[in-house]
Amino acid sequence: MYTTRFSHKITVFQGRQAPEGATLVGYGAIIDRLQLAMPLPTKLALISDKRRSYSTENWTVFSSRAVFDDTLYKHLVFALKYEGVNLLFFKKLFEIISENEIMAVLQLEPTGQYSRKIWFLYEWLLQTQLDIKDLAIKNFVPLLHDNIQYAIKGTRSSRHRIINNLPGTRDFCPLIFKTEKLETHISANISGKKNEFLNNIHKDVLQRASSFLLLKDSKASFTIEGENPGNNRAMRWGKAIGQAGQKPLSIAELIRLQQIVIENSRFIDMGLRKKGGFVGEHDRATGEPIPDHISAKEEDVEHLLKGLITANAVLQDETYDAVLAAATMAFGFVFIHPFVDGNGRLHRYIIHHILAKKAFTQQGVIFPVSSSILDHIDDYKTVLESYSHPLLDHIEWEITADNNIEVTNNTIDLYRYYDATKQAEFLYDCVEDTLERVIPEEVIYLQNYDVFKRYIDNHFEMPDKMVALLVRFLEQNDGALSKRALDKEFSALKEKEIKEIEANYNRIF
């Protein structure tokens, strides 16, 4: 198989329009030639007939000078060198290639860094050992190029002379590519800016802001799911969010949190799913499922969650960015969809948990990222679908008697080894928005409220409850008291006083 020809000229590839007629190489060429059952990488590689190199959203185009021998090994070397490590690709490749064929590939350059990477990945992914002696050479090479993908400090494999800097484990290891957007976010040190901003806020205002933000985040998380909870339920979930990071992440803890989220469990099977699941609609006429996302198989759920929890421990590596870790864990959880209900709110809880655990939110002010997600709900849906929709072509399923879904092929790796770059970019956008808009707006509002209250206290001596009502009425009516409010609750005010109150409200707020 390793002598098969892989490269071929394309202008369109599996529905993607190429930026020019060019030769498909690397991962794309191998996936196509060997018909590997997996979604295509976000970016594919082409070699142009011209001496020019450039990049678009879905393509990296290399100069004609990059042409190489059309063999499996050379395509793998090219992919590892320029396209980064794709764990799902290698797992699918190793499932169809024989041990003799992989041995033949590895013997071409037995001590070369790319042969060693392929060798390490084969043994790591398949949990087996090839009949190759441990290397005795001195130099170690990192598995991930840290100029292509985000990596941890890593551990050394003496057998392969490889530094395993994968940000996860064999059971759960999504990868994130370095992009201009992510690098800009990380270098901006927005967490440090947050600390600088909060350090200048009076402690009393900060404590009150934290309480409001907690409730705001809780309500937003329910609203994203199309629910409108009462204050008691929202406060109960807000209290759980406020404790994020205090208890270790575990299956038992996730089940405990689900019981807080779900108020009425009479019609829901609580705990880990015992049947298939999907997100989507049912056909109105037939009741048949129309999935937008298909959840992990029920028999894989516990194994995947254990892998996610173990990977979370790996990502506590202080060199790994907190927001990247939160995106990996939280979106990984929601893609697995381990519960019948409550997955979305728990997914957003995990964001809080990781950020708190990695001291991103060390000031003690809850990080209301759900509020920002709600304000960018269309982008949120798009980033969820960017993972879910490509998977649909690779999941085989049947309709059950109760119009649910039963997955019939092996899909566990689709949930273990996905590209989390778009999810990380989205979460970082929301984190920045939360730090630069959502939290400051709440703090500034409370500061303005205090100024306005002092003015009312000095001139009218209203009870606190009445001041709060006054502010609410002014907010609801664009800075003016409605006729209804003046006829009822504030009928004691004179016309001159009303004008003064409205003028001061609009000046302060």
Side-chain angles (χ1 to χ4, degrees):
M1 185 184 295
Y2 53 87
T3 58
T4 303
R5 312 308 288 181
F6 295 90
S7 299
H8 57 282
K9 278 281 192 73
I10 62 158
T11 53
V12 177
F13 179 64
Q14 294 194 18
R16 289 193 201 180
Q17 179 68 50
E20 62 176 271
T23 303
L24 182 69
V25 293
Y27 286 132
I30 301 171
I31 291 168
D32 184 52
R33 184 65 185 86
L34 301 184
Q35 293 296 290
L36 300 184
M38 59 174 287
L40 290 175
T42 303
K43 271 196 170 188
L44 296 173
L46 295 171
I47 293 182
S48 174
D49 292 337
K50 304 178 179 67
R51 291 197 171 186
R52 60 181 183 182
S53 303
Y54 58 94
S55 184
T56 68
E57 183 180 359
N58 296 122
W59 302 91
T60 304
V61 181
F62 293 83
S63 161
S64 58
R65 287 173 287 194
V67 171
F68 55 86
D69 293 341
D70 189 15
T71 65
L72 176 59
Y73 177 68
K74 290 297 185 181
H75 279 277
L76 290 174
V77 169
F78 178 91
L80 287 168
K81 188 174 183 179
Y82 297 111
E83 299 181 80
V85 171
N86 187 316
L87 294 176
L88 182 59
F89 164 86
F90 278 103
K91 184 66 184 298
K92 295 297 181 184
L93 174 68
F94 295 152
E95 285 175 348
I96 67 165
I97 194 170
S98 71
E99 188 172 309
N100 287 339
E101 287 170 326
I102 199 68
M103 288 287 285
V105 165
L106 296 176
Q107 286 166 9
L108 295 172
E109 293 178 323
T111 61
Q113 64 167 307
Y114 297 107
S115 288
R116 286 147 61 189
K117 290 183 181 189
I118 297 165
W119 175 27
F120 173 85
L121 287 169
Y122 186 90
E123 296 191 342
W124 187 78
L125 286 166
L126 299 189
Q127 294 292 282
T128 188
Q129 188 163 314
L130 293 169
D131 187 17
I132 302 175
K133 290 182 179 180
D134 294 2
L135 287 181
I137 59 177
K138 290 183 179 181
N139 70 311
F140 282 77
V141 294
L143 185 64
L144 296 185
H145 280 299
D146 62 6
N147 62 330
I148 297 178
Q149 291 163 299
Y150 292 99
I152 63 170
K153 188 176 180 180
T155 56
R156 296 190 169 205
S157 169
S158 297
R159 172 168 166 77
H160 312 90
R161 298 288 158 169
I162 287 286
I163 300 170
N164 175 13
N165 55 354
L166 290 168
T169 69
R170 177 185 174 274
D171 291 322
F172 186 81
C173 191
L175 297 176
I176 298 173
F177 284 86
K178 286 195 171 180
T179 65
E180 185 177 347
K181 174 182 275 195
L182 287 174
E183 287 294 275
T184 300
H185 278 312
I186 292 169
S187 62
N189 186 26
I190 52 181
S191 178
K193 291 179 182 178
K194 175 209 69 172
N195 294 341
E196 185 179 336
F197 170 76
L198 294 178
N199 285 336
N200 292 322
I201 306 301
H202 192 277
K203 188 175 290 186
D204 174 62
V205 174
L206 205 55
Q207 287 175 343
R208 287 159 57 211
S210 183
S211 297
F212 281 112
L213 291 168
L214 201 61
L215 185 60
K216 184 173 186 176
D217 188 86
S218 176
K219 286 185 172 180
S221 198
F222 278 100
T223 303
I224 291 168
E225 302 302 319
E227 292 190 35
N228 184 22
N231 267 358
N232 286 342
R233 190 179 177 201
M235 288 172 69
R236 193 168 72 248
W237 182 235
K239 184 180 178 182
I241 294 171
Q243 296 169 350
Q246 293 181 15
K247 294 185 177 182
L249 201 62
S250 66
I251 292 176
E253 174 64 1
L254 291 169
I255 291 173
R256 182 187 75 84
L257 291 165
Q258 189 206 22
Q259 291 169 350
I260 298 173
V261 166
I262 308 300
E263 188 173 43
N264 189 340
S265 59
R266 287 193 303 155
F267 306 107
I268 297 171
D269 291 329
M270 300 293 283
L272 300 185
R273 267 190 301 109
K274 300 173 185 65
K275 56 183 180 180
F278 74 100
V279 178
E281 304 291 337
H282 286 90
D283 186 279
R284 289 184 182 180
T286 64
E288 293 182 355
I290 307 172
D292 287 319
H293 171 78
I294 295 178
S295 311
K297 292 171 76 170
E298 60 273 24
E299 58 261 39
D300 294 338
V301 164
E302 184 173 359
H303 192 81
L304 284 166
L305 280 185
K306 285 179 178 178
L308 183 146
I309 290 162
T310 305
N312 177 49
V314 173
L315 292 185
Q316 296 307 307
D317 183 320
E318 62 183 18
T319 64
Y320 202 78
D321 182 82
V323 180
L324 301 186
T328 299
M329 294 295 109
F331 281 95
F333 174 88
V334 83
F335 294 151
I336 296 166
H337 234 68
F339 299 115
V340 173
D341 195 16
N343 296 286
R345 280 150 293 185
L346 290 175
H347 141 75
R348 289 181 290 279
Y349 169 89
I350 291 172
I351 295 172
H352 292 294
H353 175 86
I354 304 295
L355 294 181
K357 203 73 177 170
K358 289 181 74 70
F360 191 88
T361 53
Q362 59 197 9
Q363 241 62 26
V365 175
I366 191 63
F367 196 76
V369 71
S370 297
S371 300
S372 181
I373 291 173
L374 181 59
D375 291 340
H376 300 89
I377 194 66
D378 289 339
D379 294 333
Y380 184 49
K381 290 177 179 175
T382 298
V383 84
L384 291 171
E385 290 169 356
S386 71
Y387 165 84
S388 298
H389 284 186
L391 252 61
L392 295 176
D393 292 333
H394 303 281
I395 299 177
E396 299 167 14
W397 53 275
E398 296 173 350
I399 302 171
T400 63
D402 59 350
N403 283 324
N404 193 7
I405 276 175
E406 181 183 354
V407 175
T408 58
N409 63 325
N410 182 8
T411 62
I412 193 169
D413 291 331
L414 300 177
Y415 303 89
R416 283 173 167 164
Y417 309 131
Y418 67 92
D419 177 357
T421 306
K422 289 183 178 178
Q423 289 75 30
E425 288 184 335
F426 171 79
L427 183 57
Y428 238 126
D429 283 345
C430 290
V431 164
E432 183 177 52
D433 178 53
T434 301
L435 292 171
E436 294 188 351
R437 178 182 66 85
V438 179
I439 293 177
E441 278 181 359
E442 190 63 44
V443 170
I444 291 166
Y445 174 86
L446 288 176
Q447 290 172 325
N448 290 340
Y449 184 94
D450 289 348
V451 172
F452 183 72
K453 185 178 182 301
R454 281 196 295 271
Y455 156 74
I456 294 294
D457 288 345
N458 290 336
H459 292 82
F460 301 98
E461 296 184 1
M462 283 184 191
D464 290 352
K465 188 176 180 181
M466 200 165 189
V467 176
L469 187 63
L470 176 64
V471 171
R472 191 158 72 248
F473 283 157
L474 288 165
E475 283 176 354
Q476 292 171 350
N477 203 42
D478 296 324
L481 285 170
S482 66
K483 186 176 182 303
R484 179 214 166 276
L486 293 171
D487 288 344
K488 292 190 175 183
E489 290 88 350
F490 298 98
S491 59
L493 290 172
K494 297 175 183 178
E495 186 175 347
K496 183 181 178 183
E497 292 173 328
I498 295 165
K499 288 182 178 177
E500 285 180 2
I501 288 172
E502 290 173 347
N504 275 282
Y505 172 86
N506 287 299
R507 176 181 60 82
I508 292 167
F509 282 91

